[in-house]
mmCIF file with all atom_site columns, all heavy atoms in Angstrom:
data_model
loop_
_atom_site.group_PDB
_atom_site.id
_atom_site.type_symbol
_atom_site.label_atom_id
_atom_site.label_alt_id
_atom_site.label_comp_id
_atom_site.label_asym_id
_atom_site.label_entity_id
_atom_site.label_seq_id
_atom_site.pdbx_PDB_ins_code
_atom_site.Cartn_x
_atom_site.Cartn_y
_atom_site.Cartn_z
_atom_site.occupancy
_atom_site.B_iso_or_equiv
_atom_site.pdbx_formal_charge
_atom_site.auth_seq_id
_atom_site.auth_comp_id
_atom_site.auth_asym_id
_atom_site.auth_atom_id
_atom_site.pdbx_PDB_model_num
ATOM 1   N N   . VAL Y 1 330 ? 68.943 90.272  89.531  1.00 94.00 ? 357 VAL Y N   1
ATOM 2   C CA  . VAL Y 1 330 ? 70.413 90.246  89.499  1.00 94.00 ? 357 VAL Y CA  1
ATOM 3   C C   . VAL Y 1 330 ? 70.961 89.959  90.892  1.00 94.00 ? 357 VAL Y C   1
ATOM 4   O O   . VAL Y 1 330 ? 71.392 88.857  91.193  1.00 94.00 ? 357 VAL Y O   1
ATOM 5   C CB  . VAL Y 1 330 ? 70.986 91.560  88.938  1.00 94.00 ? 357 VAL Y CB  1
ATOM 6   C CG1 . VAL Y 1 330 ? 72.514 91.502  88.879  1.00 94.00 ? 357 VAL Y CG1 1
ATOM 7   C CG2 . VAL Y 1 330 ? 70.419 91.835  87.557  1.00 94.00 ? 357 VAL Y CG2 1
ATOM 8   N N   . ARG Y 1 331 ? 70.945 90.956  91.766  1.00 95.00 ? 358 ARG Y N   1
ATOM 9   C CA  . ARG Y 1 331 ? 71.488 90.773  93.109  1.00 95.00 ? 358 ARG Y CA  1
ATOM 10  C C   . ARG Y 1 331 ? 71.137 91.968  93.976  1.00 95.00 ? 358 ARG Y C   1
ATOM 11  O O   . ARG Y 1 331 ? 70.629 92.989  93.494  1.00 95.00 ? 358 ARG Y O   1
ATOM 12  C CB  . ARG Y 1 331 ? 73.008 90.590  93.069  1.00 95.00 ? 358 ARG Y CB  1
ATOM 13  C CG  . ARG Y 1 331 ? 73.798 91.853  92.803  1.00 95.00 ? 358 ARG Y CG  1
ATOM 14  C CD  . ARG Y 1 331 ? 75.305 91.638  92.893  1.00 95.00 ? 358 ARG Y CD  1
ATOM 15  N NE  . ARG Y 1 331 ? 75.832 91.017  91.680  1.00 95.00 ? 358 ARG Y NE  1
ATOM 16  C CZ  . ARG Y 1 331 ? 76.337 89.799  91.645  1.00 95.00 ? 358 ARG Y CZ  1
ATOM 17  N NH1 . ARG Y 1 331 ? 76.360 89.051  92.739  1.00 95.00 ? 358 ARG Y NH1 1
ATOM 18  N NH2 . ARG Y 1 331 ? 76.815 89.298  90.524  1.00 95.00 ? 358 ARG Y NH2 1
ATOM 19  N N   . THR Y 1 332 ? 71.456 91.838  95.255  1.00 96.00 ? 359 THR Y N   1
ATOM 20  C CA  . THR Y 1 332 ? 71.354 92.931  96.215  1.00 96.00 ? 359 THR Y CA  1
ATOM 21  C C   . THR Y 1 332 ? 72.759 93.376  96.590  1.00 96.00 ? 359 THR Y C   1
ATOM 22  O O   . THR Y 1 332 ? 73.642 92.554  96.823  1.00 96.00 ? 359 THR Y O   1
ATOM 23  C CB  . THR Y 1 332 ? 70.601 92.474  97.481  1.00 96.00 ? 359 THR Y CB  1
ATOM 24  O OG1 . THR Y 1 332 ? 69.264 92.147  97.119  1.00 96.00 ? 359 THR Y OG1 1
ATOM 25  C CG2 . THR Y 1 332 ? 70.580 93.569  98.540  1.00 96.00 ? 359 THR Y CG2 1
ATOM 26  N N   . TYR Y 1 333 ? 72.949 94.702  96.643  1.00 98.00 ? 360 TYR Y N   1
ATOM 27  C CA  . TYR Y 1 333 ? 74.216 95.290  97.085  1.00 98.00 ? 360 TYR Y CA  1
ATOM 28  C C   . TYR Y 1 333 ? 74.016 95.919  98.462  1.00 98.00 ? 360 TYR Y C   1
ATOM 29  O O   . TYR Y 1 333 ? 73.074 96.690  98.675  1.00 98.00 ? 360 TYR Y O   1
ATOM 30  C CB  . TYR Y 1 333 ? 74.679 96.384  96.121  1.00 98.00 ? 360 TYR Y CB  1
ATOM 31  C CG  . TYR Y 1 333 ? 75.283 95.892  94.831  1.00 98.00 ? 360 TYR Y CG  1
ATOM 32  C CD1 . TYR Y 1 333 ? 74.471 95.590  93.732  1.00 98.00 ? 360 TYR Y CD1 1
ATOM 33  C CD2 . TYR Y 1 333 ? 76.656 95.731  94.701  1.00 98.00 ? 360 TYR Y CD2 1
ATOM 34  C CE1 . TYR Y 1 333 ? 75.026 95.143  92.543  1.00 98.00 ? 360 TYR Y CE1 1
ATOM 35  C CE2 . TYR Y 1 333 ? 77.219 95.288  93.514  1.00 98.00 ? 360 TYR Y CE2 1
ATOM 36  C CZ  . TYR Y 1 333 ? 76.401 94.997  92.446  1.00 98.00 ? 360 TYR Y CZ  1
ATOM 37  O OH  . TYR Y 1 333 ? 76.950 94.547  91.270  1.00 98.00 ? 360 TYR Y OH  1
ATOM 38  N N   . VAL Y 1 334 ? 74.924 95.602  99.376  1.00 98.00 ? 361 VAL Y N   1
ATOM 39  C CA  . VAL Y 1 334 ? 74.977 96.250  100.684 1.00 98.00 ? 361 VAL Y CA  1
ATOM 40  C C   . VAL Y 1 334 ? 76.300 96.988  100.775 1.00 98.00 ? 361 VAL Y C   1
ATOM 41  O O   . VAL Y 1 334 ? 77.362 96.372  100.655 1.00 98.00 ? 361 VAL Y O   1
ATOM 42  C CB  . VAL Y 1 334 ? 74.848 95.225  101.820 1.00 98.00 ? 361 VAL Y CB  1
ATOM 43  C CG1 . VAL Y 1 334 ? 75.053 95.911  103.176 1.00 98.00 ? 361 VAL Y CG1 1
ATOM 44  C CG2 . VAL Y 1 334 ? 73.496 94.528  101.765 1.00 98.00 ? 361 VAL Y CG2 1
ATOM 45  N N   . SER Y 1 335 ? 76.225 98.310  100.953 1.00 98.00 ? 362 SER Y N   1
ATOM 46  C CA  . SER Y 1 335 ? 77.438 99.142  100.992 1.00 98.00 ? 362 SER Y CA  1
ATOM 47  C C   . SER Y 1 335 ? 77.759 99.541  102.420 1.00 98.00 ? 362 SER Y C   1
ATOM 48  O O   . SER Y 1 335 ? 76.865 99.905  103.195 1.00 98.00 ? 362 SER Y O   1
ATOM 49  C CB  . SER Y 1 335 ? 77.251 100.409 100.151 1.00 98.00 ? 362 SER Y CB  1
ATOM 50  O OG  . SER Y 1 335 ? 76.990 100.089 98.804  1.00 98.00 ? 362 SER Y OG  1
ATOM 51  N N   . VAL Y 1 336 ? 79.050 99.495  102.756 1.00 98.00 ? 363 VAL Y N   1
ATOM 52  C CA  . VAL Y 1 336 ? 79.511 99.908  104.078 1.00 98.00 ? 363 VAL Y CA  1
ATOM 53  C C   . VAL Y 1 336 ? 80.499 101.060 103.940 1.00 98.00 ? 363 VAL Y C   1
ATOM 54  O O   . VAL Y 1 336 ? 80.889 101.439 102.834 1.00 98.00 ? 363 VAL Y O   1
ATOM 55  C CB  . VAL Y 1 336 ? 80.143 98.725  104.834 1.00 98.00 ? 363 VAL Y CB  1
ATOM 56  C CG1 . VAL Y 1 336 ? 79.111 97.651  105.118 1.00 98.00 ? 363 VAL Y CG1 1
ATOM 57  C CG2 . VAL Y 1 336 ? 81.329 98.148  104.061 1.00 98.00 ? 363 VAL Y CG2 1
ATOM 58  N N   . ASP Y 1 337 ? 80.927 101.587 105.074 1.00 98.00 ? 364 ASP Y N   1
ATOM 59  C CA  . ASP Y 1 337 ? 81.714 102.822 105.069 1.00 98.00 ? 364 ASP Y CA  1
ATOM 60  C C   . ASP Y 1 337 ? 83.211 102.597 104.981 1.00 98.00 ? 364 ASP Y C   1
ATOM 61  O O   . ASP Y 1 337 ? 83.997 103.506 105.254 1.00 98.00 ? 364 ASP Y O   1
ATOM 62  C CB  . ASP Y 1 337 ? 81.393 103.665 106.307 1.00 98.00 ? 364 ASP Y CB  1
ATOM 63  C CG  . ASP Y 1 337 ? 81.539 102.910 107.619 1.00 98.00 ? 364 ASP Y CG  1
ATOM 64  O OD1 . ASP Y 1 337 ? 81.792 101.683 107.583 1.00 98.00 ? 364 ASP Y OD1 1
ATOM 65  O OD2 . ASP Y 1 337 ? 81.369 103.533 108.683 1.00 98.00 ? 364 ASP Y OD2 1
ATOM 66  N N   . GLY Y 1 338 ? 83.637 101.417 104.589 1.00 98.00 ? 365 GLY Y N   1
ATOM 67  C CA  . GLY Y 1 338 ? 85.045 101.154 104.331 1.00 98.00 ? 365 GLY Y CA  1
ATOM 68  C C   . GLY Y 1 338 ? 85.199 100.512 102.977 1.00 98.00 ? 365 GLY Y C   1
ATOM 69  O O   . GLY Y 1 338 ? 84.570 100.914 102.016 1.00 98.00 ? 365 GLY Y O   1
ATOM 70  N N   . GLY Y 1 339 ? 86.050 99.477  102.890 1.00 98.00 ? 366 GLY Y N   1
ATOM 71  C CA  . GLY Y 1 339 ? 86.210 98.780  101.620 1.00 98.00 ? 366 GLY Y CA  1
ATOM 72  C C   . GLY Y 1 339 ? 87.653 98.411  101.357 1.00 98.00 ? 366 GLY Y C   1
ATOM 73  O O   . GLY Y 1 339 ? 88.397 98.027  102.262 1.00 98.00 ? 366 GLY Y O   1
ATOM 74  N N   . MET Y 1 340 ? 88.068 98.573  100.104 1.00 97.00 ? 367 MET Y N   1
ATOM 75  C CA  . MET Y 1 340 ? 89.392 98.117  99.710  1.00 97.00 ? 367 MET Y CA  1
ATOM 76  C C   . MET Y 1 340 ? 90.515 98.936  100.344 1.00 97.00 ? 367 MET Y C   1
ATOM 77  O O   . MET Y 1 340 ? 91.665 98.500  100.338 1.00 97.00 ? 367 MET Y O   1
ATOM 78  C CB  . MET Y 1 340 ? 89.527 98.109  98.185  1.00 97.00 ? 367 MET Y CB  1
ATOM 79  C CG  . MET Y 1 340 ? 89.418 99.443  97.513  1.00 97.00 ? 367 MET Y CG  1
ATOM 80  S SD  . MET Y 1 340 ? 89.167 99.309  95.714  1.00 97.00 ? 367 MET Y SD  1
ATOM 81  C CE  . MET Y 1 340 ? 90.579 98.335  95.212  1.00 97.00 ? 367 MET Y CE  1
ATOM 82  N N   . SER Y 1 341 ? 90.213 100.061 100.929 1.00 98.00 ? 368 SER Y N   1
ATOM 83  C CA  . SER Y 1 341 ? 91.245 100.836 101.622 1.00 98.00 ? 368 SER Y CA  1
ATOM 84  C C   . SER Y 1 341 ? 91.559 100.263 103.000 1.00 98.00 ? 368 SER Y C   1
ATOM 85  O O   . SER Y 1 341 ? 92.606 100.578 103.574 1.00 98.00 ? 368 SER Y O   1
ATOM 86  C CB  . SER Y 1 341 ? 90.834 102.300 101.766 1.00 98.00 ? 368 SER Y CB  1
ATOM 87  O OG  . SER Y 1 341 ? 89.629 102.408 102.492 1.00 98.00 ? 368 SER Y OG  1
ATOM 88  N N   . ASP Y 1 342 ? 90.695 99.425  103.545 1.00 98.00 ? 369 ASP Y N   1
ATOM 89  C CA  . ASP Y 1 342 ? 91.003 98.766  104.815 1.00 98.00 ? 369 ASP Y CA  1
ATOM 90  C C   . ASP Y 1 342 ? 91.076 97.251  104.688 1.00 98.00 ? 369 ASP Y C   1
ATOM 91  O O   . ASP Y 1 342 ? 91.495 96.574  105.623 1.00 98.00 ? 369 ASP Y O   1
ATOM 92  C CB  . ASP Y 1 342 ? 89.979 99.155  105.897 1.00 98.00 ? 369 ASP Y CB  1
ATOM 93  C CG  . ASP Y 1 342 ? 88.557 98.797  105.508 1.00 98.00 ? 369 ASP Y CG  1
ATOM 94  O OD1 . ASP Y 1 342 ? 88.225 97.610  105.493 1.00 98.00 ? 369 ASP Y OD1 1
ATOM 95  O OD2 . ASP Y 1 342 ? 87.780 99.724  105.225 1.00 98.00 ? 369 ASP Y OD2 1
ATOM 96  N N   . ASN Y 1 343 ? 90.684 96.702  103.544 1.00 98.00 ? 370 ASN Y N   1
ATOM 97  C CA  . ASN Y 1 343 ? 90.862 95.272  103.296 1.00 98.00 ? 370 ASN Y CA  1
ATOM 98  C C   . ASN Y 1 343 ? 91.072 95.067  101.806 1.00 98.00 ? 370 ASN Y C   1
ATOM 99  O O   . ASN Y 1 343 ? 90.120 94.900  101.035 1.00 98.00 ? 370 ASN Y O   1
ATOM 100 C CB  . ASN Y 1 343 ? 89.665 94.458  103.778 1.00 98.00 ? 370 ASN Y CB  1
ATOM 101 C CG  . ASN Y 1 343 ? 89.945 92.958  103.746 1.00 98.00 ? 370 ASN Y CG  1
ATOM 102 O OD1 . ASN Y 1 343 ? 90.961 92.516  103.203 1.00 98.00 ? 370 ASN Y OD1 1
ATOM 103 N ND2 . ASN Y 1 343 ? 89.057 92.176  104.327 1.00 98.00 ? 370 ASN Y ND2 1
ATOM 104 N N   . LEU Y 1 344 ? 92.326 95.071  101.400 1.00 97.00 ? 371 LEU Y N   1
ATOM 105 C CA  . LEU Y 1 344 ? 92.681 94.926  99.993  1.00 97.00 ? 371 LEU Y CA  1
ATOM 106 C C   . LEU Y 1 344 ? 92.698 93.474  99.534  1.00 97.00 ? 371 LEU Y C   1
ATOM 107 O O   . LEU Y 1 344 ? 92.689 93.201  98.336  1.00 97.00 ? 371 LEU Y O   1
ATOM 108 C CB  . LEU Y 1 344 ? 94.061 95.558  99.760  1.00 97.00 ? 371 LEU Y CB  1
ATOM 109 C CG  . LEU Y 1 344 ? 94.575 95.658  98.325  1.00 97.00 ? 371 LEU Y CG  1
ATOM 110 C CD1 . LEU Y 1 344 ? 93.619 96.481  97.467  1.00 97.00 ? 371 LEU Y CD1 1
ATOM 111 C CD2 . LEU Y 1 344 ? 95.976 96.246  98.289  1.00 97.00 ? 371 LEU Y CD2 1
ATOM 112 N N   . ARG Y 1 345 ? 92.700 92.537  100.460 1.00 96.00 ? 372 ARG Y N   1
ATOM 113 C CA  . ARG Y 1 345 ? 92.913 91.143  100.092 1.00 96.00 ? 372 ARG Y CA  1
ATOM 114 C C   . ARG Y 1 345 ? 91.882 90.585  99.106  1.00 96.00 ? 372 ARG Y C   1
ATOM 115 O O   . ARG Y 1 345 ? 92.240 89.824  98.205  1.00 96.00 ? 372 ARG Y O   1
ATOM 116 C CB  . ARG Y 1 345 ? 92.980 90.269  101.344 1.00 96.00 ? 372 ARG Y CB  1
ATOM 117 C CG  . ARG Y 1 345 ? 94.195 90.554  102.216 1.00 96.00 ? 372 ARG Y CG  1
ATOM 118 C CD  . ARG Y 1 345 ? 94.294 89.576  103.378 1.00 96.00 ? 372 ARG Y CD  1
ATOM 119 N NE  . ARG Y 1 345 ? 94.634 88.241  102.915 1.00 96.00 ? 372 ARG Y NE  1
ATOM 120 C CZ  . ARG Y 1 345 ? 93.781 87.221  102.904 1.00 96.00 ? 372 ARG Y CZ  1
ATOM 121 N NH1 . ARG Y 1 345 ? 92.541 87.375  103.349 1.00 96.00 ? 372 ARG Y NH1 1
ATOM 122 N NH2 . ARG Y 1 345 ? 94.169 86.046  102.458 1.00 96.00 ? 372 ARG Y NH2 1
#
Side-chain angles (χ1 to χ4, degrees):
V357 181
R358 75 175 79 247
T359 296
Y360 283 86
V361 174
S362 300
V363 295
D364 53 354
M367 63 195 303
S368 59
D369 59 71
N370 190 350
L371 186 59
R372 294 185 70 252

